[in-house]
């Protein structure tokens, strides 16, 4: 019920609240040792746990995915740092290469290797970020996926044909 507000009937709100509560085990999120050791992953875990707790979703049912998400986040930060280091090295190389006495082909070869390193970092970042998004979509970690997993309306009880007939006639308590 915490994820959706608005104009809902009491029956819809009750069904929704029950559906949301059925998605929780009551065991709070636990941080894996490898996440605890990594300062970036640990900080991300603390941030996400706080956010999930504020909406009542800090359940260990999602623990492995949250921990994996935090590790991937830390790996992305590391790749970003490496990419920036390679960019800076490329800039330094271009400044130094003008002053150095080396053949043009050798300068271009080194420059291309550094540029390839930057592009490899971009590709690795893209792959890691895609994994983060996939984890979010598949494990009730996005608003949309959480909303899809909870029934929106109460189930309507279908009446038998005889009960419908009796109700139309006004006979008995046909429910």
């Amino acid at each position: 019920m915490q994820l959706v507000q608005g104009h809902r009937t009491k029956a819809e709100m009750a069904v929704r609240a029950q559906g949301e509560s059925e998605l929780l085990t009551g065991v709070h999120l636990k941080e894996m040792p490898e996440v605890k050791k990594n300062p970036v992953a640990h900080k991300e875990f603390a941030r996400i746990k706080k956010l999930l707790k504020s909406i009542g979703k800090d359940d260990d049912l999602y623990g492995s995915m949250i921990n994996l998400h935090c590790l991937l986040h830390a790996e992305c930060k590391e790749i970003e740092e490496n990419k920036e280091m390679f960019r800076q090295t490329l800039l330094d190389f271009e400044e130094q290469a003008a002053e150095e006495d080396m053949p043009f082909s050798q300068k271009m070869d080194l420059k291309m290797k550094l540029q390839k390193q930057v592009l490899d970092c971009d590709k690795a970042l893209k792959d890691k970020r895609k994994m983060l998004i996939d984890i979010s979509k598949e494990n009730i970690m996005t608003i949309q996926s959480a909303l899809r997993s909870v029934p929106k309306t109460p189930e309507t009880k279908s009446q038998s044909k005889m009960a419908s007939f009796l109700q139309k006639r006004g006979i008995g308590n046909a429910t």
Side-chain angles (χ1 to χ4, degrees), residues 12 15 32 38 41 44-45 47 51 54 61 81 98 108 112 120 139 144 151 160-161 164:
E12 287 174 326
V15 166
M32 291 180 176
N38 185 318
E44 180 70 359
F45 183 87
R47 184 186 77 82
L51 292 172
S54 72
L61 182 64
E81 289 169 4
M108 288 308 292
M112 287 174 60
D120 287 347
N139 292 285
Q144 189 63 36
S160 68
K161 290 184 180 183
S164 296

Side-chain angles (χ1 to χ4, degrees), residues 15-78:
V15 166
R16 189 139 192 114
Q18 179 186 0
E20 285 182 15
S21 68
E22 289 173 358
L23 295 174
L24 303 173
T25 64
V27 178
H28 295 290
L29 275 175
K30 291 185 178 73
E31 189 173 17
M32 291 180 176
E34 54 270 26
V35 173
K36 225 176 240 187
K37 286 183 220 171
N38 185 318
V40 175
H42 174 71
K43 186 176 178 181
E44 180 70 359
F45 183 87
R47 184 186 77 82
I48 290 175
K49 183 175 181 172
K50 180 180 173 186
L51 292 172
L52 289 173
K53 187 174 185 175
S54 72
I55 62 167
K57 299 290 182 189
D58 65 330
D59 197 87
D60 203 37
L61 182 64
Y62 316 119
S64 63
M65 288 297 121
I66 298 295
N67 281 283
L68 179 58
H69 170 86
C70 294
L71 289 171
L72 286 169
H73 175 77
E75 290 171 9
C76 284
K77 291 294 182 191
E78 187 178 328

Side-chain angles (χ1 to χ4, degrees), residues 68-127:
L68 179 58
H69 170 86
C70 294
L71 289 171
L72 286 169
H73 175 77
E75 290 171 9
C76 284
K77 291 294 182 191
E78 187 178 328
I79 292 169
E80 288 169 358
E81 289 169 4
N82 287 339
K83 179 180 166 183
E84 188 55 39
M85 180 202 58
F86 286 127
R87 276 191 182 154
Q88 189 59 47
T89 303
L90 182 60
L91 291 173
D92 293 345
F93 171 76
E94 289 175 351
E95 289 175 9
Q96 295 294 323
E99 299 169 8
E100 294 287 325
D101 255 355
M102 71 169 62
F104 179 77
S105 60
Q106 189 178 5
K107 286 180 185 178
M108 288 308 292
D109 187 45
L110 290 171
K111 184 176 179 178
M112 287 174 60
K113 285 181 182 177
L114 287 170
Q115 287 174 335
K116 184 180 180 328
Q117 291 296 323
V118 172
L119 292 174
D120 287 347
C121 287
D122 279 339
K123 185 181 181 313
L125 264 175
K126 178 184 157 202
D127 293 343

Side-chain angles (χ1 to χ4, degrees), residues 143-166:
I143 292 171
Q144 189 63 36
S145 63
L147 293 176
R148 277 193 305 262
S149 69
V150 178
K152 292 175 181 58
T153 57
E155 293 179 21
T156 56
K157 295 179 184 176
S158 59
Q159 291 182 333
S160 68
K161 290 184 180 183
M162 180 56 101
S164 296
F165 174 76
L166 292 174

